Amino acid sequence: MSSFPVILAPCSAITALTIPSNDGSECLCQSGYYMEPLSSSISSSSSDNVFLFSSFDNHTGGDISTNYRLADASSLSVCYPCPLDTFNPYSGKRSVADCFHCPETQEATDVGQSLCVCKSTHFNKYNSTSQQYNDDCTPCPRGTVCKSGRIIGVKSGFWLEPGFWLNIEEHVFECDNAQSCQYNGTCSAGYVGVLCLLCDRDGGYGASGNACQPCPARAANWAVLIVALLAMLCFLVYLVIAGKRAKNKDAVSMKILLNHLQVLSMLSAVGALWAEPFEGVLRASGVFSFFDMRLISTDCIVEFGFYYRFGFYVLIPLLTFIISTIVHFFIYLYFLIRKVKTKAEARHAVITQFVLSVVMVNFILYPAISLKVLEVFSCREIGKLQYLTSDPSIVCEGSTYQFWTAVAYVMLIVFCMGLPLGLFGVLYYTRRRPQAHYALKVIMHFFSDGFKVKHYYWEIVILLRKFLIVVMLMVFSKNSQYQLLGILWVIIISVLVHSLL
């Protein structure tokens, strides 16, 4: 019978998978392997992951070698690796039955494993108290990439709160705009801040709709802004002049168009839901209906924080009153100097036009101002802090935020609720008193023309409908689908009420 060499040496010299027993009388398989007797059919000394060894010789110290015939190999055994997806944490095991199957959330990535690791869909949580990783495997947080029980990265479209790699699972958040967040939780070019929601103004980027784009040439941007403002001013002047005449079809048509454009533009505030071409149409309708100026990169012209913009919107009713007073005072002087009208006629005409212009401007800007007021109350939790939804650079706490919140409460009562109720009071009073001032009659005609006599108040209902749509935008600001459903319900209920009256 043929023979083959077997080396008698210390266990670790035979193979890295063998260790001596406690008494040194034999070599044992290390963890991840199990021992079985050498089959007589094996005719080679070794193969992939299969290793031969003999009993350790205490007398020779294992420093000699000799030849054994297969007939003399009855004492020889082989170390076999535990099969795939099994493991053996102990040395000296002598059966494949000693290889255990990995738990459901774990796996053995190769044969001959002494332990299992978390699957690619799971990870070991970091315990900040013990400063060690737990043994249990937990499903990987949404938006993360896991490997061998560790979180190794963050997917595109998700943001990682800076400084939290060890307990990352509590600090990964889905970005509102997937394009603003790139791999490993960092912001794409042009985006900065919490959830990458702010535009990098220092880097030359400005808000354009719901995205951050490189700022256009300053001259071109100013030109667009001036043209838009002039167009708005012309529209306001035309509407005021047309509104002075009762039963004016042009005023009724412009009023209907304005209402439709404002409702349409409100849909542009539903986050990241529309195709780009249609979203452009919505933003354009917002400019022409005085609701949304995002079509123009105002951030690239002048940099104002949220509180400055909010303060400006709060002052609009007062500024309207002051500017209109100054303008109509000069109109009154013109009438007197040029003797176009008598003093009484000039006073009558100027007061009427003054009242109508103030009411008209506040009526047109009502949805935009209401939206800005409600934005102060809309906060979202990111990590352990509450951030303002419309400007995540602002934390919803502290004395500054509390001050502007108090201002917003005043505006909510005085303007958002007071304007519809005040207009309804004027219409109700004027309708029942023929001797009411002519200015009140002009307001009555502007708001009631186009409706049946018994439904003279319907323009106020439309005003409240727009306010409820703004409320839906703010209440469900965290979920665009809920925003759209809320708006649809407001419109459906309005249609039902309209059909029943």
Side-chain angles (χ1 to χ4, degrees), residues 11-12 15-31 33-35 53-54 56 79 90-94:
C11 294
S12 60
T15 171
L17 301 174
T18 57
I19 57 175
S21 61
N22 291 334
D23 58 7
S25 62
E26 59 178 338
C27 287
L28 305 176
C29 293
Q30 289 191 6
S31 57
Y33 288 75
Y34 64 95
M35 179 188 297
F53 66 95
S54 66
F56 187 75
C79 284
Y90 309 107
S91 59
K93 296 302 179 180
R94 300 181 180 277

Side-chain angles (χ1 to χ4, degrees), residues 94-105:
R94 300 181 180 277
S95 171
V96 69
D98 294 318
C99 296
F100 306 103
H101 284 282
C102 294
E104 183 179 356
T105 58

Side-chain angles (χ1 to χ4, degrees), residues 73-91:
S74 59
S75 63
L76 297 179
S77 299
V78 179
C79 284
Y80 289 98
C82 287
L84 191 65
D85 208 28
T86 63
F87 74 105
N88 170 24
Y90 309 107
S91 59

Side-chain angles (χ1 to χ4, degrees), residues 210 262-271 286 289-294 306 309-311 313-314 316 362-379 388-391 408 411-412 415-417 463-477 483 487:
N210 293 321
Q262 285 187 339
V263 173
L264 188 63
S265 64
M266 290 177 188
L267 297 178
S268 66
V270 178
S289 63
F290 304 88
F291 179 75
D292 189 353
M293 292 294 291
R294 289 183 299 168
F306 173 82
R309 295 194 301 270
F310 174 67
Y313 276 88
V314 167
I316 282 179
N362 286 280
F363 165 74
I364 293 173
L365 296 179
Y366 176 80
I369 297 176
S370 297
L371 177 65
K372 191 60 65 176
V373 169
L374 293 178
E375 281 181 351
V376 178
F377 304 106
S378 179
C379 297
L388 200 65
T389 303
S390 58
D391 189 346
M411 284 294 294
L412 183 64
F415 184 81
C416 299
M417 298 180 182
L463 200 64
L464 292 175
R465 181 179 65 193
K466 288 186 282 190
F467 178 72
L468 288 177
I469 292 176
V470 171
V471 171
M472 294 298 106
L473 291 174
M474 291 296 99
V475 171
F476 300 114
S477 59
Q483 283 180 323
I487 293 173

Side-chain angles (χ1 to χ4, degrees), residues 260-478:
H260 280 79
L261 287 177
Q262 285 187 339
V263 173
L264 188 63
S265 64
M266 290 177 188
L267 297 178
S268 66
V270 178
L273 188 64
W274 312 110
E276 185 61 30
F278 184 61
E279 187 173 352
V281 173
L282 295 179
R283 293 200 301 267
S285 66
V287 173
F288 292 111
S289 63
F290 304 88
F291 179 75
D292 189 353
M293 292 294 291
R294 289 183 299 168
L295 188 66
I296 304 169
S297 299
T298 53
D299 289 343
C300 297
I301 299 176
V302 59
E303 182 178 341
F304 284 137
F306 173 82
Y307 290 138
Y308 286 103
R309 295 194 301 270
F310 174 67
F312 172 74
Y313 276 88
V314 167
L315 292 175
I316 282 179
L318 179 61
L319 291 174
T320 302
F321 181 86
I322 294 174
I323 294 174
S324 184
T325 300
I326 296 173
V327 170
H328 286 91
F329 174 75
F330 284 104
I331 293 175
Y332 177 71
L333 291 180
Y334 172 80
F335 286 157
L336 294 181
I337 294 173
R338 301 288 294 183
K339 297 181 179 180
V340 177
K341 297 177 182 293
T342 64
K343 189 174 182 179
E345 292 175 340
R347 184 170 58 252
H348 182 274
V350 167
I351 290 176
T352 300
Q353 192 165 296
F354 165 78
V355 173
L356 184 60
S357 60
V358 171
V359 172
M360 197 83 68
V361 171
N362 286 280
F363 165 74
I364 293 173
L365 296 179
Y366 176 80
I369 297 176
S370 297
L371 177 65
K372 191 60 65 176
V373 169
L374 293 178
E375 281 181 351
V376 178
F377 304 106
S378 179
C379 297
R380 60 188 299 182
E381 184 176 357
I382 303 175
K384 296 181 180 180
L385 295 176
Q386 294 279 344
Y387 294 90
L388 200 65
T389 303
S390 58
D391 189 346
S393 65
I394 296 176
V395 180
C396 296
E397 58 184 33
S399 57
T400 303
Y401 175 74
Q402 291 174 355
F403 169 78
W404 287 109
T405 301
V407 174
Y409 274 116
V410 173
M411 284 294 294
L412 183 64
I413 297 172
V414 175
F415 184 81
C416 299
M417 298 180 182
L419 182 62
L421 292 176
L423 287 177
F424 177 77
V426 170
L427 299 183
Y428 184 85
Y429 172 84
T430 307
R431 185 169 179 265
R432 283 163 172 73
R433 285 172 173 78
Q435 70 278 14
H437 192 280
Y438 179 73
L440 299 182
K441 293 181 180 179
V442 169
I443 295 175
M444 173 71 184
H445 287 304
F446 176 80
F447 285 100
S448 62
D449 282 353
F451 301 110
K452 294 180 179 179
V453 176
K454 65 177 181 179
H455 295 148
Y456 66 95
Y457 56 84
W458 197 254
E459 193 64 49
I460 311 302
V461 175
I462 295 175
L463 200 64
L464 292 175
R465 181 179 65 193
K466 288 186 282 190
F467 178 72
L468 288 177
I469 292 176
V470 171
V471 171
M472 294 298 106
L473 291 174
M474 291 296 99
V475 171
F476 300 114
S477 59
K478 300 177 184 178

